[in-house]
Tab-separated table of all heavy atoms in Angstrom:
chain	number	residue	atom	x	y	z
T	92	LYS	N	-76.493	-26.727	68.997
T	92	LYS	CA	-75.712	-27.073	67.642
T	92	LYS	C	-75.588	-28.453	67.442
T	92	LYS	O	-75.247	-28.806	66.382
T	92	LYS	CB	-74.315	-26.313	67.784
T	92	LYS	CG	-74.298	-24.933	67.476
T	92	LYS	CD	-74.210	-24.570	66.010
T	92	LYS	CE	-73.809	-23.232	65.696
T	92	LYS	NZ	-73.627	-22.932	64.250
T	123	GLY	N	-80.406	-21.989	60.860
T	123	GLY	CA	-79.415	-22.652	61.611
T	123	GLY	C	-78.437	-23.244	60.843
T	123	GLY	O	-78.784	-23.757	59.713
T	124	CYS	N	-77.268	-23.605	61.390
T	124	CYS	CA	-76.151	-24.276	60.669
T	124	CYS	C	-75.356	-25.110	61.606
T	124	CYS	O	-74.896	-24.591	62.612
T	124	CYS	CB	-75.352	-23.250	59.913
T	124	CYS	SG	-73.817	-23.727	59.256
T	125	PRO	N	-74.846	-26.205	61.155
T	125	PRO	CA	-73.893	-27.032	62.180
T	125	PRO	C	-72.502	-26.537	62.235
T	125	PRO	O	-71.843	-27.035	63.122
T	125	PRO	CB	-74.113	-28.388	61.588
T	125	PRO	CG	-74.306	-28.221	60.143
T	125	PRO	CD	-75.096	-26.990	59.985
T	126	ALA	N	-72.118	-25.635	61.347
T	126	ALA	CA	-70.647	-25.208	61.503
T	126	ALA	C	-70.431	-24.160	62.686
T	126	ALA	O	-71.376	-23.792	63.356
T	126	ALA	CB	-70.254	-24.542	60.196
T	127	HIS	N	-69.207	-23.838	62.887
T	127	HIS	CA	-68.880	-23.031	64.042
T	127	HIS	C	-67.911	-21.882	63.561
T	127	HIS	O	-66.763	-21.626	64.011
T	127	HIS	CB	-68.031	-23.789	65.109
T	127	HIS	CG	-68.899	-25.040	65.480
T	127	HIS	ND1	-69.855	-24.916	66.446
T	127	HIS	CD2	-68.845	-26.341	65.070
T	127	HIS	CE1	-70.466	-26.144	66.575
T	127	HIS	NE2	-69.808	-27.019	65.793
T	128	CYS	N	-68.450	-21.036	62.647
T	128	CYS	CA	-67.679	-19.914	62.159
T	128	CYS	C	-67.680	-18.909	63.272
T	128	CYS	O	-68.783	-18.403	63.691
T	128	CYS	CB	-68.123	-19.354	60.901
T	128	CYS	SG	-68.162	-20.609	59.603
T	130	TYR	N	-67.181	-15.796	63.122
T	130	TYR	CA	-67.836	-14.499	62.704
T	130	TYR	C	-69.264	-14.710	62.258
T	130	TYR	O	-69.882	-13.870	61.495
T	130	TYR	CB	-67.081	-13.865	61.557
T	130	TYR	CG	-66.833	-14.896	60.426
T	130	TYR	CD1	-67.973	-15.103	59.591
T	130	TYR	CD2	-65.811	-15.541	60.195
T	130	TYR	CE1	-67.895	-15.994	58.528
T	130	TYR	CE2	-65.607	-16.436	59.110
T	130	TYR	CZ	-66.706	-16.636	58.364
T	130	TYR	OH	-66.593	-17.610	57.296
T	131	CYS	N	-69.915	-15.788	62.639
T	131	CYS	CA	-71.197	-16.337	61.878
T	131	CYS	C	-72.189	-15.091	61.667
T	131	CYS	O	-72.413	-14.342	62.424
T	131	CYS	CB	-71.756	-17.303	62.650
T	131	CYS	SG	-73.308	-17.898	61.987
T	132	TYR	N	-72.658	-15.132	60.357
T	132	TYR	CA	-73.579	-14.177	60.011
T	132	TYR	C	-74.892	-14.265	60.730
T	132	TYR	O	-75.787	-13.363	60.728
T	132	TYR	CB	-73.892	-14.255	58.487
T	132	TYR	CG	-72.704	-14.281	57.642
T	132	TYR	CD1	-72.153	-15.428	57.082
T	132	TYR	CD2	-71.914	-13.160	57.450
T	132	TYR	CE1	-71.072	-15.408	56.355
T	132	TYR	CE2	-70.699	-13.118	56.804
T	132	TYR	CZ	-70.247	-14.263	56.161
T	132	TYR	OH	-69.109	-14.227	55.430
T	133	LEU	N	-75.113	-15.485	61.283
T	133	LEU	CA	-76.493	-15.691	61.861
T	133	LEU	C	-76.591	-15.023	63.232
T	133	LEU	O	-77.643	-14.889	63.785
T	133	LEU	CB	-76.726	-17.232	61.985
T	133	LEU	CG	-76.779	-17.925	60.718
T	133	LEU	CD1	-77.179	-19.420	60.964
T	133	LEU	CD2	-77.646	-17.365	59.768
T	173	TYR	N	-80.275	-17.868	56.018
T	173	TYR	CA	-80.311	-18.293	57.427
T	173	TYR	C	-79.741	-19.692	57.805
T	173	TYR	O	-79.964	-20.282	58.686
T	173	TYR	CB	-81.789	-18.237	57.961
T	173	TYR	CG	-82.179	-16.787	58.233
T	173	TYR	CD1	-83.522	-16.626	58.233
T	173	TYR	CD2	-81.388	-15.755	58.328
T	173	TYR	CE1	-84.114	-15.328	58.453
T	173	TYR	CE2	-81.886	-14.514	58.564
T	173	TYR	CZ	-83.184	-14.188	58.707
T	173	TYR	OH	-83.689	-12.937	58.799
T	174	THR	N	-79.231	-20.335	56.725
T	174	THR	CA	-78.572	-21.575	56.862
T	174	THR	C	-77.442	-21.838	55.770
T	174	THR	O	-77.398	-21.076	54.848
T	174	THR	CB	-79.754	-22.702	56.716
T	174	THR	OG1	-79.133	-23.926	57.088
T	174	THR	CG2	-80.212	-22.753	55.292
T	175	ASP	N	-76.775	-22.971	56.000
T	175	ASP	CA	-75.900	-23.483	54.873
T	175	ASP	C	-76.646	-24.824	54.334
T	175	ASP	O	-76.582	-25.717	54.958
T	175	ASP	CB	-74.546	-23.724	55.355
T	175	ASP	CG	-73.662	-24.210	54.275
T	175	ASP	OD1	-73.941	-24.962	53.297
T	175	ASP	OD2	-72.500	-23.609	54.092
T	206	LYS	N	-70.215	-23.607	52.467
T	206	LYS	CA	-68.991	-23.811	52.799
T	206	LYS	C	-68.633	-25.382	52.801
T	206	LYS	O	-67.716	-25.823	53.155
T	206	LYS	CB	-68.597	-23.309	54.080
T	206	LYS	CG	-68.613	-21.861	54.284
T	206	LYS	CD	-67.997	-21.360	55.646
T	206	LYS	CE	-67.732	-19.941	55.708
T	206	LYS	NZ	-69.053	-19.194	55.989
T	207	PHE	N	-69.661	-26.160	52.241
T	207	PHE	CA	-69.603	-27.482	52.322
T	207	PHE	C	-69.238	-28.107	50.928
T	207	PHE	O	-69.291	-27.410	49.997
T	207	PHE	CB	-70.817	-28.153	52.980
T	207	PHE	CG	-70.798	-27.898	54.445
T	207	PHE	CD1	-71.156	-26.755	54.896
T	207	PHE	CD2	-70.444	-28.939	55.345
T	207	PHE	CE1	-71.079	-26.329	56.263
T	207	PHE	CE2	-70.345	-28.620	56.665
T	207	PHE	CZ	-70.649	-27.274	57.090
T	241	THR	N	-66.042	-26.996	59.157
T	241	THR	CA	-66.354	-26.889	57.779
T	241	THR	C	-65.096	-27.535	56.991
T	241	THR	O	-64.089	-27.723	57.515
T	241	THR	CB	-66.345	-25.377	57.310
T	241	THR	OG1	-65.121	-24.780	57.450
T	241	THR	CG2	-67.329	-24.505	58.040
T	322	TYR	N	-68.316	-17.696	71.398
T	322	TYR	CA	-66.765	-17.934	71.279
T	322	TYR	C	-66.047	-16.882	72.142
T	322	TYR	O	-65.421	-16.129	71.644
T	322	TYR	CB	-66.487	-17.778	69.861
T	322	TYR	CG	-67.269	-18.532	68.892
T	322	TYR	CD1	-68.227	-17.870	67.969
T	322	TYR	CD2	-67.104	-19.968	68.689
T	322	TYR	CE1	-68.946	-18.556	67.087
T	322	TYR	CE2	-68.124	-20.549	67.879
T	322	TYR	CZ	-68.821	-19.913	67.128
T	322	TYR	OH	-69.751	-20.510	66.198
Z	7	SF4	FE1	-72.527	-19.284	60.163
Z	7	SF4	FE2	-72.313	-19.643	57.550
Z	7	SF4	FE3	-70.420	-20.468	59.262
Z	7	SF4	FE4	-72.741	-21.791	59.129
Z	7	SF4	S1	-71.295	-21.721	57.471
Z	7	SF4	S2	-71.623	-21.123	61.031
Z	7	SF4	S3	-74.132	-20.042	58.784
Z	7	SF4	S4	-70.997	-18.414	58.754
Side-chain angles (χ1 to χ4, degrees):
K92 280 276 193 175
C124 163
H127 304 277
C128 301
Y130 54 75
C131 181
Y132 309 107
L133 303 183
Y173 288 158
T174 188
D175 185 315
K206 290 192 175 80
F207 286 75
T241 62
Y322 309 107

